[in-house]
Amino acid sequence: MPQEQYTHRSTMQTSEGPQVYKVGIYGWRKRCLYFFVLLLMILILVNLAMTIWILKVMNFTIDGMGNLRITEKGLKLEGDSEFLKPLYAKEIRSRPGNPLYFQSARNVTVNILNEKTKVLTRLVTGPQAVEAHSQKFEVKTLSGKLLFSADDNEVVVGAERLRVLGAEGTVFPKSIETPNVRADPFKELRLESPTRALVMEAPKGIEINAEAGSLKATCRTELKLESKDGEITLNSAKIKLPNLPQGSSSSAGSRQKIYELCVCPNGRLFLSQAGTSSTCQINTSVCL
């Protein structure tokens, strides 16, 4: 009985013919797939167009991008450039014939480091001051001549002439050592100490010379000219001492205007009416 049923089913299948099964995506699934493929192609084209536009705007070339060019000697920047982080370079220079500008909103700092990254020299240019931190500061000419130098011990001015243009002159809290002090032509030279003493010393000599004008020395208490081993020379056609005291001893009714210059033991000068002999001994009361 089962054998007959199997034979009947097989004869029915052979009589109807072979069945065909379709393989693939049909209907709304197929349309969605085509839509996603088309959308992907559009995105690829848009991405390619944006990439080409960015390359053109940023000026990407074989030599570099934008203002940056890669040359055999290094990197070359054309136009203004801004660095948001530190820049490390062996040499920075401008194009021949063009200046080099460093611009900052606050300050520009240049540091010189050693092998241990310790700061040896620092130059800070800020909105209020320019500061240089180093062991010694020097200014030289193109030929190498020293114009100015400063360190912990001294300040040297190597120029042939130092000019001070301030209206109030120059104030030296302590001593000053110089071989020559002079004013500009047709200008007066004034050495003044408003509250203390003014002392001029030299191991060989002091020369005060006014070729085209007068010389005036004024003090409140004492004016002292001292020469330890030499002499003091007053060389002039006329030497006037108008405010010297005069001796009181004189002959009655004498009106002569000829006087003798006398010196007291303490160095004080006074006038005494001249006589046939010296009258200084008669007027020694002036020295008291």
Side-chain angles (χ1 to χ4, degrees):
M1 185 66 182
Q3 184 178 1
E4 291 178 356
Q5 290 179 359
Y6 177 75
T7 306
H8 176 70
R9 289 179 180 178
S10 61
T11 54
M12 289 179 63
Q13 291 177 357
T14 55
S15 63
E16 292 177 358
Q19 294 182 0
V20 180
Y21 295 95
K22 296 180 180 180
V23 179
I25 301 175
Y26 297 95
W28 63 272
R29 295 183 180 88
K30 184 177 182 180
R31 288 192 294 270
C32 289
L33 180 61
Y34 287 161
F35 174 76
F36 284 121
V37 172
L38 180 61
L39 181 61
L40 182 60
M41 292 180 63
I42 294 173
L43 292 177
I44 292 174
L45 293 176
V46 172
N47 191 11
L48 181 60
M50 291 293 294
T51 303
I52 295 175
W53 179 76
I54 292 174
L55 291 176
K56 186 175 181 180
V57 170
M58 297 298 294
N59 195 12
F60 276 93
T61 60
I62 300 176
D63 298 332
M65 60 169 288
N67 296 330
L68 180 63
R69 295 288 182 269
I70 301 175
T71 61
E72 296 179 355
K73 297 181 180 180
L75 297 178
K76 180 179 180 181
L77 291 174
E78 297 178 354
D80 298 337
S81 301
E82 182 178 356
F83 299 93
L84 301 180
K85 293 185 177 181
L87 173 64
Y88 299 93
K90 182 179 179 181
E91 181 180 358
I92 300 176
R93 62 181 179 179
S94 63
R95 291 184 299 176
N98 294 331
L100 178 62
Y101 294 99
F102 290 96
Q103 185 175 355
S104 174
R106 293 187 178 181
N107 55 32
V108 177
T109 304
V110 180
N111 293 332
I112 306 298
L113 310 178
N114 58 5
E115 295 81 2
K116 299 180 180 179
T117 66
K118 182 180 179 181
V119 178
L120 299 178
T121 302
R122 174 179 296 174
L123 177 63
V124 181
T125 58
Q128 297 181 354
V130 177
E131 299 180 1
H133 303 268
S134 63
Q135 295 182 355
K136 189 175 183 179
F137 179 75
E138 292 184 353
V139 178
K140 296 183 178 180
T141 61
L142 294 177
S143 60
K145 181 182 178 182
L146 181 63
L147 295 179
F148 179 85
S149 68
D151 55 15
D152 294 338
N153 298 324
E154 63 180 1
V155 175
V156 179
V157 179
E160 296 181 357
R161 177 182 297 181
L162 174 62
R163 298 184 62 186
V164 180
L165 303 179
E168 298 296 330
T170 305
V171 178
F172 297 97
K174 296 184 179 181
S175 61
I176 176 176
E177 181 178 351
T178 177
N180 188 11
V181 178
R182 64 180 179 180
D184 289 337
F186 307 103
K187 301 289 184 178
E188 66 176 11
L189 175 63
R190 177 179 296 178
L191 301 179
E192 182 179 2
S193 178
T195 58
R196 298 295 181 91
L198 178 62
V199 180
M200 292 186 292
E201 296 179 353
K204 292 185 177 180
I206 297 177
E207 181 179 355
I208 303 176
N209 187 10
E211 296 181 356
S214 59
L215 178 63
K216 183 178 180 180
T218 305
C219 66
R220 180 172 295 274
T221 56
E222 294 182 357
L223 177 62
K224 184 177 181 181
L225 302 178
E226 181 180 356
S227 177
K228 295 181 179 180
D229 297 330
E231 60 183 10
I232 298 175
T233 302
L234 301 177
N235 187 4
S236 176
K238 294 182 180 180
I239 298 177
K240 294 183 178 181
L241 302 174
N243 295 325
L244 290 180
Q246 298 181 8
S248 58
S249 176
S250 61
S251 59
S254 176
R255 297 181 179 180
Q256 64 176 357
K257 296 183 178 181
I258 301 175
Y259 297 93
E260 181 182 358
L261 181 62
C262 304
V263 183
C264 296
N266 57 5
R268 184 179 183 182
L269 300 178
F270 67 95
L271 297 178
S272 177
Q273 291 185 358
T276 56
S277 60
S278 177
T279 58
C280 292
Q281 297 296 331
I282 303 175
N283 297 279
T284 54
S285 61
V286 182
C287 301
L288 300 178

